[in-house]
């Protein structure tokens, strides 16, 4: 086995939001679920949709569209909840569609700090260029900082 | 090699040893002549040293080593037990606890040196003057165990290759040792211990043969002893010291092997078995003239029995089990809700059976989660000892009901409030020595800490025989602080006055001490107990003492709750907070200074539209009668306005998790029969 190559390639789950492609490190993706009823939780930011019952666990759900300030769209057949888990945090994010899992080589990832605009880029690890596609690779740990209203 | 797999064992064992050390030190202070106790302390320090050394925690090993030296001198009657010495030993204990805590959080022992303590220990040793008599001790023992070695060594056969190796090594002026290690019979993870021993050996030597074979040792295919042959440049004493310092090693017999001499010559030996024999004989002689020692011995053996019967369970595993049970309960609720199905005889039977099983399972799981309150109480004797010294009061702490069991979650939280109440009793309750004499009370103040089960509650009482609460002074203070005006104060009942004590920033002590008087106190206790679903009462009599009574629910995980509907959202209210449910006409709700209220049997009850508090969109249809759930917060009532009542359910409390845990009005979530999530309301933070 060629370890050098294995170390340099990362696998990403690719999903769509508002016709744009985003990627999440597969290491932190637990499962992908179809839409299930969500219970609203008061005193949380607008983009926190509430909590779901995921086989006995209570899991908070975030709408990525609203988190990114994208226009709100209707739920479709393709809408999915991606359950991510890292450290001791488990949460779900609502996305328009989940497409595939792709390998991205480290050299294909470009830093986005130079493209930074209005602080949005802190949620982003970099941009993955695969053929002629550009996939925004998300930094989930930054994304899930939820501040609770008093 | 990776030691991390043994880190957990190290932590658990160290904690246990430190706990034991704490108790032994307290006993030592009471009975300075008690040799068995002293031996016990020595043993613990010794074991800790060994464990720390093996794990590579040098600072901890150094501290315990110095402790050991002092204890050794104590045992040999070279120095006497006095308060300063016990103080110092307690400080050692604190330092060791800090080290262990550091290990728990960071995996290393940290950088604190505690050089002051070490210096203190050294000073004591210097005073008694003279060397540590390690040599004398080891010589003393040589004679008696010689015979036992022979049968062990005779089993050991070397082949030609190994014989050659040995000869060569000896030619090169290296030492060859045959080491027999006997593990403690109580050792649970024999192979892990053996691994640590091999690990230690390999640091200094090359192992050329092992009997039984290494593979067998790894598979635990050996009794409690094994023999290894090593070639090394180190001397015998190094090995002896290193090996005996490993915990659960009962006996280490090292013999030097000379060429052509497979039988070996006994050079030096030491064994703790020997030590134990002498301990026992000492104990015997003690028993005759010292009854208390006898009692303590009995207690010690009782404790041993207890640890043998319990199993340490990872709390995470329990949570998994708990989750399974909760799901079963959900299914139960679901099955009960199936109305359309024709309820044949059969169906009902199945349901009944199912219900019985789940109830039993629930009970069983609950019991697994129960922890004796002893784990909390354990630290109090030491704490009160320190407090009574700093206050210069003589205080006796009597504890009872330590075996009363409470849910793990409650156990974790109850410590701080109890500490507070105990300090309060010691500081405010118990009078100074002069005052007590004046009052004709015994010199020593008594604090009784009691725990017992009462139905579905556990009651914990903190009682002192001090001066009691000065109600007049509390009343005056309450007026000064503006909690009540002078006229109203006249009509206050004893209970009303005592309630002031639980108000934030209320303190009657004029001087601020280390212990209390900062005005953050009883209110914190009260809040904490209430968040645990319990309550606090106070009983007091001037001149006779006061008693704080805490009532706690047995468990927090599964509760009875009332499900209510607000617009189309469902919420759960813990049933034990609900006083009653009433229907009122919209016009019955009156306004008093912007606060909506109703009159309930002539009591003013503030109305809270919880829908608004929870940002629920207001429902459009207007009911002719409004449903008000009257809840109590402490003694005060509040009325929660809801749209609909769904019914009473047994619910499983689940946490909202790290991300959403900070919402004050929500105490948690639960899963309903239909699989949806309902939030549990925190009555305390919603009520006025």
């Amino acid at each position: 086995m060629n370890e050098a190559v294995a170390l340099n390639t990362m696998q990403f789950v690719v999903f769509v939001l508002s016709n744009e492609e985003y990627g999440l490190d597969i290491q932190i993706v637990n499962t992908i679920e179809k839409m299930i009823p969500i219970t609203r939780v008061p005193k949380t930011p607008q983009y926190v949709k509430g909590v779901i019952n995921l086989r006995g666990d209570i899991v908070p759900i975030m709408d990525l569209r609203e988190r990114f300030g994208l226009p709100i769209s209707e739920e479709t057949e393709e809408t999915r909840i991606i359950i991510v888990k890292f450290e001791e945090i488990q949460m779900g994010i609502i996305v328009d569609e989940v497409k595939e899992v792709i390998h991205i080589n480290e050299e294909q990832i470009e830093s986005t700090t130079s493209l930074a605009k209005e602080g949005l880029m802190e949620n982003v690890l970099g941009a993955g260029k695969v053929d002629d596609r550009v996939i925004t690779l998300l930094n989930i740990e930054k994304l899930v900082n939820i501040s609770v209203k008093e | 090699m990776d030691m991390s797999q043994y880190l957990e064992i190290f932590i658990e064992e160290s904690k246990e040893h430190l706990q034991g050390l704490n108790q032994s030190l307290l006993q030592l202070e009471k009975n300075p002549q008690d040799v068995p106790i002293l031996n016990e302390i020595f043993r613990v320090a010794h074991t800790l040293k060994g464990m720390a050394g093996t794990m590579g925690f040098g600072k901890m090993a150094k501290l315990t080593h110095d402790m050991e030296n002092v204890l050794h001198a104590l045992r040999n009657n070279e120095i006497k037990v006095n308060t300063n010495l016990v103080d110092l030993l307690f400080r050692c204990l604190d330092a060791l606890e800090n080290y262990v805590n550091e290990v728990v959080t960071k995996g290393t022992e940290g950088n604190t040196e505690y050089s002051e303590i070490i210096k203190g220990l050294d000073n004591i040793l210097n005073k008694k003057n003279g060397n540590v008599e390690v040599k004398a001790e080891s010589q003393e023992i040589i004679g008696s165990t010689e015979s036992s070695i022979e049968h062990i060594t005779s089993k050991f056969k070397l082949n030609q290759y190994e014989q050659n190796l040995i000869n060569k090594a000896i030619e090169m002026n290296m030492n060859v040792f045959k080491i027999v290690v006997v593990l403690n019979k109580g050792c649970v993870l024999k192979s892990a211990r053996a691994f640590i021993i091999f690990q230690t050996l390999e640091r200094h030597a090359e192992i050329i043969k092992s009997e039984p074979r290494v593979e067998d040792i790894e598979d635990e295919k050996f009794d409690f002893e094994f023999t290894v042959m090593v070639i090394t440049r180190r001397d015998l004493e190094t090995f002896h010291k290193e090996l005996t310092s490993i915990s659960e090693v009962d006996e280490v017999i090292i013999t030097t092997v000379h060429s052509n001499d497979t039988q070996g010559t006994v050079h030096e030996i030491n064994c703790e078995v020997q030590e134990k024999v002498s301990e026992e004989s000492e104990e015997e002689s003690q028993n005759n003239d010292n009854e208390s020692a006898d009692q303590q011995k009995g207690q010690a053996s009782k404790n041993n029995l207890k640890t043998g019967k319990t199993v340490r369970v990872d709390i995470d595993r329990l949570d998994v089990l708990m989750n399974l049970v909760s799901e079963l309960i959900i299914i139960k609720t679901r099955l009960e809700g199936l109305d359309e199905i024709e309820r044949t005889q059969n169906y009902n039977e199945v349901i009944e059976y199912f219900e019985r099983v789940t109830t039993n399972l629930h009970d069983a799981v609950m019991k697994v989660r129960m922890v004796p309150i002893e784990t909390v109480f354990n630290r109090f004797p030491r704490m009160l000892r320190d407090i009574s010294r700093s206050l210069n009061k003589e205080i006796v702490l009597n504890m009872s009901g330590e075996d009363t069991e409470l849910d793990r979650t409650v156990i974790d939280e109850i410590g701080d409030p109890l500490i507070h109440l105990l300090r309060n009793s010691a500081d405010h309750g118990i009078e100074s020595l002069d005052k007590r004499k004046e009052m004709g009370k015994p010199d020593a103040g008594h604090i009784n800490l009691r725990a017992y089960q009462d139905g579905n509650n556990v009651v914990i009482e903190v009682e002192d025989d001090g001066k009691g609460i000065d109600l007049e002074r509390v009343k005056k203070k309450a007026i000064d602080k503006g909690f009540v005006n002078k006229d109203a104060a006249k009509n206050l009942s004893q209970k009303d006055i005592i309630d002031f004590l639980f108000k934030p920033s209320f303190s009657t002590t004029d001087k601020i001490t280390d212990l209390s008087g900062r005005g953050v106190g009883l209110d914190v206790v009260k809040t904490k107990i209430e968040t645990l679903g319990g309550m606090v009462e106070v009983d007091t009599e001037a001149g006779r003492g006061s008693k704080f009574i805490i009532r706690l629910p047995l468990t927090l995980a599964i509760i009875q709750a009332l499900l209510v509907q607000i617009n189309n959202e469902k919420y759960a209210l813990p049933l034990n907070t609900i006083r009653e449910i009433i229907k009122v006409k919209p016009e019955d709700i009156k306004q008093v200074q912007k606060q909506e209220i109703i009159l309930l049997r002539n009591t003013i009850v503030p109305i809270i539209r919880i829908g608004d508090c929870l940002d629920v969109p207001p429902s459009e249809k207007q009911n002719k009668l409004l449903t008000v759930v009257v809840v109590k917060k402490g003694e005060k009532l509040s009325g929660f306005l809801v749209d609909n009542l769904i019914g009473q359910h047994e619910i499983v409390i689940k946490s909202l998790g790290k991300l959403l845990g900070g919402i004050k009005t929500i105490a948690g979530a639960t899963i309903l029969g239909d699989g949806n999530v309902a939030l549990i309301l925190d009555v305390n933070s919603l009520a006025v």
Side-chain angles (χ1 to χ4, degrees):
Chain A
M1 196 178 90
N2 193 337
E3 275 188 35
V5 169
L7 279 177
N8 286 337
T9 355
M10 289 170 81
Q11 278 180 291
F12 288 89
V13 175
V14 177
F15 61 86
V16 181
L17 271 185
S18 255
N19 301 322
E20 268 182 62
E21 287 186 321
Y22 294 83
L24 273 178
D25 185 355
I26 202 163
Q27 302 280 347
I28 56 155
V29 174
N30 214 353
T31 60
I32 296 165
E33 305 283 330
K34 290 199 169 179
M35 282 303 279
I36 24 184
I38 301 173
T39 302
R40 186 186 70 88
V41 179
K43 310 287 171 199
T44 51
Q46 186 63 38
Y47 57 83
V48 174
K49 289 288 115 183
V51 288
I52 58 160
N53 163 21
L54 184 73
R55 291 177 281 280
D57 281 339
I58 306 281
V59 181
I61 301 297
M62 181 166 91
D63 189 335
L64 260 201
R65 275 181 172 268
E66 291 197 41
R67 181 75 168 89
F68 288 158
L70 299 170
I72 296 160
S73 69
E74 287 291 303
E75 190 181 302
T76 69
E77 267 295 294
E78 300 300 324
T79 307
R80 291 288 181 278
I81 299 175
I82 302 178
I83 307 290
V84 296
K85 195 174 189 177
F86 60 94
E87 284 153 33
E88 274 168 35
I89 293 168
Q90 188 177 26
M91 79 168 308
I93 54 176
I94 303 176
V95 301
D96 290 355
E97 182 188 348
V98 175
K99 286 190 109 163
E100 63 193 318
V101 174
I102 57 165
H103 291 260
I104 298 183
N105 219 308
E106 218 166 66
E107 294 101 64
Q108 291 171 282
I109 300 175
E110 197 161 291
S111 163
T112 48
T113 39
S114 54
L115 309 169
K117 57 169 189 184
E118 62 230 42
L120 247 179
M121 285 299 164
E122 67 170 16
N123 300 322
V124 175
L125 283 175
K129 291 174 292 182
V130 183
D131 304 329
D132 54 350
R133 294 154 69 187
V134 177
I135 296 160
T136 314
L137 307 175
L138 295 176
N139 180 3
I140 198 74
E141 278 144 63
K142 278 277 182 332
L143 269 177
V144 300
N145 274 329
I146 295 173
S147 57
V148 169
K149 283 185 246 169
E150 273 304 304
Chain B
M1 271 267 207
D2 183 22
M3 291 300 273
S4 63
Q5 52 178 323
Y6 298 114
L7 201 62
E8 228 163 274
I9 306 178
F10 170 78
I11 291 167
E12 287 296 341
E13 282 186 3
S14 312
K15 279 186 175 167
E16 222 160 76
H17 284 309
L18 289 175
Q19 189 63 56
L21 191 59
N22 186 12
Q23 277 163 4
S24 308
L25 282 176
L26 283 168
Q27 282 174 9
L28 181 71
E29 193 175 34
K30 279 182 207 142
N31 308 304
Q33 301 306 323
D34 197 330
V35 180
I37 290 288
L38 197 52
N39 282 330
E40 173 65 20
I41 295 171
F42 184 82
R43 195 188 59 75
V44 172
H46 184 75
T47 313
L48 280 171
K49 178 177 100 176
M51 284 163 53
T54 321
M55 299 297 292
F57 298 142
K59 296 193 192 72
M60 222 177 136
K62 164 87 175 102
L63 183 61
T64 38
H65 176 77
D66 287 0
M67 258 177 96
E68 213 182 346
N69 285 344
V70 169
L71 290 166
H72 185 80
L74 267 178
R75 276 211 307 195
N76 289 1
N77 269 329
E78 288 158 28
I79 44 177
K80 290 263 167 266
V81 177
N82 59 37
T83 335
N84 284 338
L85 182 62
V86 176
D87 267 349
L88 192 62
L89 289 174
F90 268 127
R91 280 171 60 202
C92 289
L93 174 71
D94 293 341
L96 289 173
E97 270 175 352
N98 288 343
Y99 279 137
V100 173
N101 287 339
E102 197 80 6
V103 172
V104 172
T105 49
K106 300 197 184 108
T108 66
E109 59 177 341
N111 296 321
T112 329
E113 291 277 1
Y114 298 105
S115 49
E116 206 186 315
I117 298 176
I118 290 174
K119 218 155 113 201
L121 291 168
D122 288 347
N123 281 343
I124 290 176
L125 280 180
N126 289 341
K127 259 187 226 157
K128 67 111 188 170
N129 173 34
N131 303 328
V132 186
E133 278 112 76
V134 177
K135 275 185 194 138
E137 191 193 48
S138 52
Q139 267 165 17
E140 203 178 283
I141 298 156
I142 288 177
S144 51
T145 28
E146 227 167 316
S147 55
S148 70
I149 297 146
E150 255 164 57
H151 81 271
I152 296 168
T153 51
S154 57
K155 296 194 292 200
F156 210 67
K157 291 272 183 299
L158 294 169
N159 62 28
Q160 194 55 44
Y161 169 71
E162 287 154 352
Q163 190 64 51
N164 285 344
L165 260 178
I166 292 171
N167 290 342
K168 217 168 199 173
I170 292 169
E171 272 167 35
M172 290 169 72
N173 267 335
M174 288 169 93
N175 292 324
V176 181
F177 298 130
K178 183 189 290 178
I179 304 174
V180 181
V181 180
V182 182
L183 294 178
N184 189 308
K185 294 275 183 292
C187 177
V188 188
L189 294 165
K190 283 191 294 181
S191 58
R193 273 298 160 217
F195 171 79
I196 293 175
I197 293 162
F198 273 81
Q199 186 83 359
T200 314
L201 286 172
E202 275 168 357
R203 252 189 282 151
H204 307 292
E206 195 179 333
I207 301 172
I208 54 168
K209 190 174 174 72
S210 145
E211 178 71 40
R213 292 181 306 141
V214 180
E215 293 87 345
D216 289 340
I217 293 177
E218 271 172 12
D219 292 343
E220 293 211 351
K221 281 185 197 151
F222 67 111
D223 287 335
F224 288 92
E225 61 172 65
F226 56 89
T227 313
V228 289
M229 179 91 61
V230 299
I231 299 178
T232 178
R233 290 202 181 275
R234 303 294 185 97
D235 59 358
L236 192 143
E237 273 169 42
T238 320
F239 282 101
H240 185 254
K241 224 169 105 192
E242 291 263 353
L243 290 176
T244 45
S245 65
I246 295 170
S247 65
E248 293 190 312
V249 171
D250 261 5
E251 194 174 351
V252 177
I253 304 161
I254 305 179
T255 50
T256 308
V257 179
H258 302 295
S259 55
N260 305 326
D261 178 17
T262 40
Q263 193 68 18
T265 317
V266 178
H267 205 88
E268 187 191 344
I269 31 162
N270 186 5
C271 60
E272 295 206 357
V273 173
Q274 188 67 22
E275 234 164 56
K276 273 182 193 149
V277 173
S278 62
E279 238 172 63
E280 262 160 29
S281 58
E282 269 163 9
E283 259 172 306
E284 260 167 29
S285 63
Q286 281 275 324
N287 288 346
N288 296 334
D289 48 19
N290 192 344
E291 268 181 44
S292 71
D294 192 14
Q295 267 173 6
Q296 273 147 8
K297 200 181 133 208
Q299 221 166 39
S301 61
K302 203 176 83 189
N303 285 349
N304 285 345
L305 216 78
K306 212 171 196 172
T307 44
K309 272 184 184 170
T310 54
V311 180
R312 226 193 298 273
V313 189
D314 190 345
I315 189 90
D316 289 343
R317 287 187 196 165
L318 290 181
D319 287 345
V320 170
L321 196 55
M322 196 69 217
N323 267 345
L324 288 173
V325 175
S326 7
E327 239 163 301
L328 262 181
I329 290 175
I330 293 157
I331 299 166
K332 185 190 95 178
T333 320
R334 220 164 176 170
L335 275 172
E336 284 168 347
L338 293 176
D339 281 345
E340 294 86 1
I341 296 175
E342 205 182 334
R343 295 206 168 203
T344 61
Q345 179 67 22
N346 250 346
Y347 174 84
N348 281 336
E349 253 172 39
V350 174
I351 287 288
E352 264 168 39
Y353 180 65
F354 185 62
E355 220 179 296
R356 202 159 61 230
V357 173
T358 48
T359 313
N360 287 348
L361 187 57
H362 174 197
D363 286 353
V365 174
M366 278 306 153
K367 279 201 190 97
V368 178
R369 287 180 60 93
M370 297 297 242
V371 182
I373 202 162
E374 198 180 359
T375 51
V376 182
F377 279 16
N378 268 335
R379 55 183 143 148
F380 294 150
R382 160 76 197 283
M383 191 189 85
L384 267 174
R385 169 193 177 272
D386 291 355
I387 293 177
S388 61
R389 286 195 48 155
S390 72
L391 289 172
N392 208 8
K393 290 176 183 174
E394 204 180 315
I395 298 171
V396 179
L397 174 69
N398 300 316
M399 301 195 296
S400 66
E402 292 101 319
D403 53 353
T404 312
E405 291 189 324
L406 268 166
D407 193 272
R408 176 65 190 254
T409 34
V410 185
I411 289 280
D412 288 345
E413 300 288 328
I414 194 67
D416 288 344
L418 284 181
I419 288 176
H420 214 105
L421 289 181
L422 286 169
R423 287 187 161 176
N424 205 52
S425 286
D427 196 13
H428 300 309
I430 308 278
E431 309 91 331
S432 64
L433 202 57
D434 300 340
K435 194 85 169 268
R436 284 187 79 88
K437 281 202 174 111
E438 208 174 284
M439 303 267 299
K441 285 184 178 180
D443 284 0
H446 286 258
I447 295 180
N448 296 321
L449 182 60
R450 263 181 238 116
Y452 56 90
Q453 195 177 334
D454 179 23
N456 257 336
N457 288 305
V458 165
V459 182
I460 306 172
E461 295 176 355
V462 180
E463 184 184 29
D464 65 67
D465 64 348
K467 58 176 177 268
I469 296 168
D470 187 342
L471 294 175
E472 282 309 308
R473 205 155 134 229
V474 175
K475 203 196 280 183
K476 193 169 163 287
K477 194 112 182 177
I479 297 167
D480 289 349
K481 291 232 170 198
F483 289 130
V484 65
N485 65 43
K486 233 175 185 163
D487 295 327
K490 278 177 192 152
N491 300 321
L492 289 175
S493 67
Q494 174 171 335
K495 209 179 159 319
D496 293 334
I497 298 169
I498 289 173
D499 274 346
F500 287 125
L501 289 174
F502 292 101
K503 288 240 190 266
S505 74
F506 190 94
S507 174
T508 54
T509 335
D510 298 321
K511 62 169 190 265
I512 288 172
T513 69
D514 240 11
L515 303 168
S516 38
R518 286 182 209 280
V520 280
L522 287 175
D523 65 306
V524 181
V525 172
K526 190 176 178 178
T527 326
K528 186 100 229 175
I529 301 291
E530 278 174 359
T531 50
L532 290 174
M535 50 197 247
V536 196
E537 289 165 37
V538 188
D539 224 355
T540 184
E541 197 178 329
R544 295 287 294 276
S546 30
K547 179 153 91 175
F548 287 80
I549 305 153
I550 298 172
R551 269 175 196 281
L552 289 165
L554 271 180
T555 176
L556 294 175
I558 297 183
I559 57 163
Q560 290 287 339
L562 177 73
L563 282 185
V564 300
Q565 199 166 355
I566 304 161
N567 198 354
N568 52 7
E569 295 181 9
K570 289 173 185 169
Y571 290 93
L573 281 162
L575 207 64
N576 63 353
T577 61
I578 297 174
R579 179 77 167 265
E580 62 185 294
I581 296 160
I582 51 171
K583 298 264 185 190
V584 296
K585 295 191 200 97
E587 57 268 29
D588 287 343
I589 298 179
K590 306 267 179 346
Q591 287 263 351
V592 176
Q593 289 179 341
K594 286 188 185 158
Q595 171 67 55
E596 290 182 303
I597 57 120
I598 52 165
L599 272 178
L600 175 67
R601 293 184 291 275
N602 283 332
T603 316
I604 293 173
V605 176
I607 289 291
I608 295 147
R609 296 183 182 265
I610 43 175
D612 295 348
C613 302
L614 301 169
D615 308 326
V616 183
S619 88
E620 277 161 22
K621 66 169 196 260
Q622 284 291 329
N623 292 335
K624 272 186 194 143
L625 279 177
L626 303 172
T627 311
V628 176
V629 180
V630 181
V631 299
K632 52 180 190 286
K633 174 189 183 183
E635 286 309 303
K636 285 210 177 115
L637 299 180
S638 297
F640 286 3
L641 205 57
V642 302
D643 289 345
N644 243 324
L645 299 175
I646 298 169
Q648 182 184 334
H649 283 273
E650 193 175 56
I651 62 166
V652 180
I653 302 180
K654 287 169 179 278
S655 152
L656 274 184
K658 227 176 175 175
L659 290 175
L660 299 177
I663 305 163
K664 270 190 184 161
T665 47
I666 306 294
T670 190
I671 297 166
L672 301 176
D674 59 6
N676 284 336
V677 181
L679 301 176
I680 304 164
L681 298 178
D682 185 348
V683 170
N684 270 330
S685 66
L686 279 167
V688 182

